[in-house]
Amino acid sequence: DGGDGGGGGGPLTTTAWVTMTTKPDRLAHPWFEATLKRTISMCKASNATLLLQLPAQSQKGVPYEAPTSVMGLQGRHFRIRRVAFDEGPITKLLPALRDEAIGENDTVVVCDDDIVYERDAFSLLIDSVRQHPSAVSCMCMPKTQGYAGYAFRKRVLQGLRHLTIPDSCRRIDDDVVHWYVGQSRIGLVATKHWGDGSWTCSMLQTETDTHPEWDELIKDDRASMAQRCVADIRTKNP
């Protein structure tokens, strides 16, 4: 994808967007950049624009410093969005819901930064949203999981912007979104990869497993974190 440098130039005309965030240590790693290039190529094939949501610094005060080579990848299908602050993993989603450049009926695809996706995963999601405009389309299984990828018309999840997210959910985003979707009675559509509905259907697992040993993937007890998060979010949002 050609570069237009800096914060990224003029107005965009796309109606499909892919949004993701990352962490400062990943942003500077060659594995991230190589995977990012593949993700940009997928957006190009889907006529979508990838938005990389980057705060000034992490919740621990570590600056987000994009390498010059990553900055130079910006163009028609990739833009870096500088956002006000780090909201944890859900930074991949909330800034996109607030982004006035994204129309209410535009399609938003949510993905993770450490997955090597099947090349047609975004196209399949965009097609599914076109067929199910009032639902959330989820790759593989009917659950909002960033690693698998999910998509929706922006207006469908706009209420998420007003949700009170407790501190216990700061490391968890998928469970927050899934809880909100259930509470709001929004439909979930499973989008299989050519008949494959297994949990890895949208990724190339061998390539994905070559990523470095990111700290949170080693240390986090996701099941107990999710349980506490959901309990707290119910209390905060009666």
Side-chain angles (χ1 to χ4, degrees), residues 60-94:
K60 296 180 179 179
V62 180
Y64 274 83
E65 297 177 346
T68 302
S69 52
V70 170
M71 295 291 289
L73 295 173
Q74 292 182 98
R76 171 67 181 82
H77 298 284
F78 173 53
R79 296 290 174 95
I80 292 173
R81 285 285 199 261
R82 287 292 183 176
V83 300
F85 53 93
D86 182 4
E87 299 177 88
I90 207 167
T91 304
K92 68 167 71 85
L93 173 57
L94 292 180

Side-chain angles (χ1 to χ4, degrees), residues 166 179 183 227 229-238:
W179 180 86
Q183 288 295 111
Q227 189 174 21
C229 166
V230 170
D232 289 349
I233 204 168
R234 283 177 178 149
T235 302
K236 294 279 188 180
N237 299 272

Side-chain angles (χ1 to χ4, degrees), residues 61-225:
V62 180
Y64 274 83
E65 297 177 346
T68 302
S69 52
V70 170
M71 295 291 289
L73 295 173
Q74 292 182 98
R76 171 67 181 82
H77 298 284
F78 173 53
R79 296 290 174 95
I80 292 173
R81 285 285 199 261
R82 287 292 183 176
V83 300
F85 53 93
D86 182 4
E87 299 177 88
I90 207 167
T91 304
K92 68 167 71 85
L93 173 57
L94 292 180
L97 295 177
R98 302 179 189 121
D99 193 334
E100 293 182 358
I102 301 177
E104 292 299 299
N105 287 308
D106 286 2
T107 297
V108 178
V109 179
V110 178
C111 71
D112 278 356
D113 62 325
D114 58 349
I115 302 294
V116 179
Y117 289 96
E118 292 278 3
R119 286 199 176 274
D120 54 357
F122 298 164
S123 295
L124 290 171
L125 282 171
I126 291 167
D127 286 346
S128 181
V129 170
R130 191 175 296 120
Q131 296 173 47
H132 307 281
S134 297
V136 178
S137 293
C138 311
M139 283 302 299
C140 310
M141 295 179 286
K143 187 173 182 181
T144 53
Q145 300 173 118
Y147 74 82
Y150 61 93
F152 53 92
R153 294 278 172 91
K154 182 185 174 185
R155 59 176 166 75
V156 171
L157 293 188
Q158 275 291 51
L160 259 174
R161 296 185 307 161
H162 310 298
L163 203 66
T164 300
I165 301 176
D167 289 342
S168 58
C169 298
R170 293 299 178 190
R171 300 277 294 276
I172 299 280
D173 60 312
D174 294 340
D175 295 278
V176 171
V177 178
H178 194 70
W179 180 86
Y180 173 80
V181 167
Q183 288 295 111
S184 304
R185 291 182 165 82
I186 298 168
L188 291 169
V189 175
T191 305
K192 297 182 179 181
H193 188 262
W194 304 111
D196 180 5
S198 65
W199 71 273
T200 59
C201 86
S202 61
M203 72 171 73
L204 298 176
Q205 190 169 11
T206 301
E207 289 85 343
T208 296
D209 288 345
T210 64
H211 65 63
E213 294 185 342
W214 313 120
D215 282 348
E216 70 272 23
L217 297 182
I218 300 169
K219 298 175 182 176
D220 283 355
D221 179 355
R222 292 280 164 167
S224 62
M225 289 170 66

Side-chain angles (χ1 to χ4, degrees), residues 20-22 27 32 50-54 78-81:
M20 62 187 284
T21 191
T22 189
L27 181 59
F32 171 81
L50 174 64
L51 300 177
L52 176 59
Q53 313 284 358
L54 295 184
F78 173 53
R79 296 290 174 95
I80 292 173
R81 285 285 199 261

